[in-house]
Amino acid sequence: MRVVVAVQGWPGVGGRLSLSPADAAAAVLEAWREARPGTDVVAIPVADGSPRTADALTGPRSAVGGVEAVEGPGGLWLAPAEGAPRWNPHGLSTALLGLAAAGETRTVHIPLGDESPAGDAVDLWGGHADAVRQALSSLPMVALVGSARPLLGFQGMSSAVRDGRESDPAIALAAQEQERRWSGIALEGDALAGGASLMGPSRLSDVPGAGAAGGLAYCLAVLGARLAPGAPYVLEALGIGAEAEGADVLAAVTGELTPRTLDAGVASALAEQAARRALPATALAPSVQVGKRDLMAAGLASAHEAAPGIDGLRDGVRRLAHTWAR
């Protein structure tokens, strides 16, 4: 029997550092082989397309204009400098301009997830969107997003501000102000980007994912970046698709399973891979905050909980192995 496990990492105990994807994957292999010695099990460190995605990679690293660049599958993968969890738009702009000036031809991956940047997303342009777009015209860029939210409209960024607090007048006012501000910004950005797609929305501001990461996705798209769903892109780039051929079960070891992470996280992306091959998919998480119906809608046959820390992870993997491995 062949089992492929996509391992995002695992939380520590009592505020201790979480296990990295690589360390968690090693623990998964050890525990599974101990529980089911005859299983052909493969554990692959992965990430969900959030800003720290490059931490799952093992390639050479270098500092580029205030961000970290890691050599990985398909090109360069960027991460905020000094382990920061969010992007600084100004530092990111400096890095991209530096790579373009150096003649970089490899694809530059910019994982955004849906975390708002540490600053105004429009600082990416520095007040000169047209000039920056021209300077980056030869640089292949992919921005990985963790939301299908467009920039504007009823389902856009302003809806995220109002979500669950529609009765608060101050929140409603803030949402209206945000919509007005970004509508003005989009007048320039949409004109620069031109038609978004012959088959899809005619304006870039209406494209799914443009409103991710506090508008940073839109600003990158105006500069020429292609938007792509983060977790599915990362899993494919890291070889999950190839490893899944001939597998009997796919499993995700991931963070908390919430409605948001289930929509755009590693577990649902792995379930997509499983569905293409008519395979069952399951998940192991420190907390499962969704019901059976939600799991089924995401394509997961089950989800299992385990305690934080390496001992909790090993125990959870052993139970997973006894449940799914013949």
Side-chain angles (χ1 to χ4, degrees):
M1 181 178 187
R2 179 174 173 79
V3 179
V4 177
V5 189
V7 186
Q8 188 178 350
W10 197 254
V13 177
R16 294 180 184 174
L17 288 176
S18 300
L19 291 174
S20 70
D23 289 341
V28 167
L29 279 177
E30 180 183 4
W32 198 296
R33 288 168 175 167
E34 176 186 296
R36 284 286 189 260
T39 304
D40 176 14
V41 57
V42 177
I44 302 175
V46 299
D48 61 357
S50 58
R52 300 304 322 169
T53 286
D55 292 346
L57 306 178
T58 58
R61 297 169 182 262
S62 59
V64 180
V67 308
E68 188 176 27
V70 183
E71 295 183 24
L76 292 179
W77 295 70
L78 304 188
E82 299 178 352
R86 299 189 294 163
W87 288 104
N88 178 301
H90 178 72
L92 177 58
S93 177
T94 302
L96 294 174
L97 289 168
L99 288 169
E104 182 60 65
T105 58
R106 291 170 292 181
T107 299
V108 176
H109 302 86
I110 310 154
L112 303 177
D114 197 23
E115 285 75 20
S116 295
D120 191 341
V122 184
D123 287 346
L124 189 73
W125 298 345
H128 305 282
D130 191 16
V132 177
R133 178 182 169 88
Q134 291 184 34
L136 298 180
S137 60
S138 63
L139 186 67
M141 297 181 290
V142 178
L144 306 181
V145 300
S147 169
R149 185 188 314 113
L151 184 74
L152 302 176
F154 185 73
Q155 300 294 330
M157 285 176 57
S158 61
S159 71
V161 175
R162 295 190 304 267
D163 189 24
R165 299 176 290 178
E166 289 83 359
S167 61
D168 188 328
I171 293 296
L173 187 63
Q176 292 173 7
E177 179 58 34
Q178 177 168 257
E179 184 78 3
R180 281 193 295 268
R181 177 176 184 262
W182 280 101
S183 293
I185 292 169
L187 288 176
E188 177 187 8
D190 286 353
L192 285 174
S197 170
L198 293 176
M199 300 297 293
S202 60
R203 300 184 306 177
L204 180 59
S205 52
D206 294 329
V207 169
L216 188 57
Y218 175 79
C219 293
L220 281 165
V222 168
L223 299 182
R226 175 169 67 91
L227 302 182
Y233 188 101
V234 174
L235 262 60
E236 193 64 51
L238 295 181
I240 289 291
E243 291 289 353
E245 298 299 334
D248 297 288
V249 178
L250 302 186
V253 174
T254 183
E256 290 185 345
L257 279 181
T258 65
R260 178 181 174 185
T261 60
L262 191 60
D263 280 344
V266 167
S268 58
L270 190 74
E272 289 179 15
Q273 293 281 350
R276 296 175 196 170
R277 299 164 175 83
L279 299 175
T282 186
L284 181 69
S287 174
V288 178
Q289 301 173 28
V290 292
K292 182 66 175 178
R293 181 176 298 177
D294 296 318
L295 293 173
M296 291 177 64
L300 291 167
S302 63
H304 308 259
E305 288 189 353
I310 190 168
D311 290 336
L313 173 60
R314 287 171 174 159
D315 180 62
V317 170
R318 284 191 288 266
R319 287 186 282 113
L320 201 66
H322 284 298
T323 301
W324 284 97
R326 295 190 296 269

